[in-house]
Amino acid sequence: MAAVSLSVSTVKPLGDRVFVKVSASEEKTAGGLYLPDTAKEKPQVGEVVALGPGKRNDDGSRQELEIKIGDKVLYSKYAGTDIKLGTEEYVLLSEKDILAVVA
């Protein structure tokens, strides 16, 4: 079996898929308590690093995505596929799983 070397620049999502870099999870609570790794929740905010060409319509044309590279987005909690490249965590998800663009 051949080993595959992946980096962010070599990943190109297909269709209406979006490649998102996951933001770091909170280290401590609002009250100042530090959280152990087992108690941390999976973050739901990330930065878009790559986009697919868009969803194909019935007539064969492409529907452009509403988001762009660099947008900070809020996505569904259990959406997408988790991918780890080096020490960074990413998630590959469909555009429909993105709930909002965060300013």
Side-chain angles (χ1 to χ4, degrees):
M1 180 181 264
V4 177
S5 176
L6 291 178
S7 70
V8 176
S9 61
T10 60
V11 175
K12 177 157 179 36
L14 301 175
D16 68 338
R17 301 278 195 281
V18 181
F19 198 55
V20 176
K21 181 179 179 184
V22 177
S23 297
S25 58
E26 294 294 322
E27 294 290 325
K28 60 182 181 176
T29 64
L33 298 175
Y34 286 94
L35 295 171
D37 289 336
T38 56
K40 293 179 188 173
E41 287 190 27
K42 177 183 167 188
Q44 293 174 260
V45 177
E47 181 181 349
V48 176
V49 294
L51 298 171
K55 184 178 182 179
R56 191 172 296 276
N57 295 325
D58 292 335
D59 64 357
S61 64
R62 294 256 183 208
Q63 180 178 342
E64 194 172 310
L65 300 175
E66 293 183 42
I67 56 174
K68 59 187 182 302
I69 294 176
D71 283 350
K72 283 205 164 268
V73 293
L74 175 69
Y75 54 90
S76 299
K77 188 169 196 142
Y78 300 108
T81 303
D82 296 328
I83 300 170
K84 190 166 187 173
L85 299 177
T87 60
E88 301 291 331
E89 291 186 24
Y90 297 88
V91 63
L92 184 63
L93 45 91
S94 180
E95 184 187 31
K96 68 181 180 184
D97 293 325
I98 295 176
L99 304 174
V101 175
V102 181

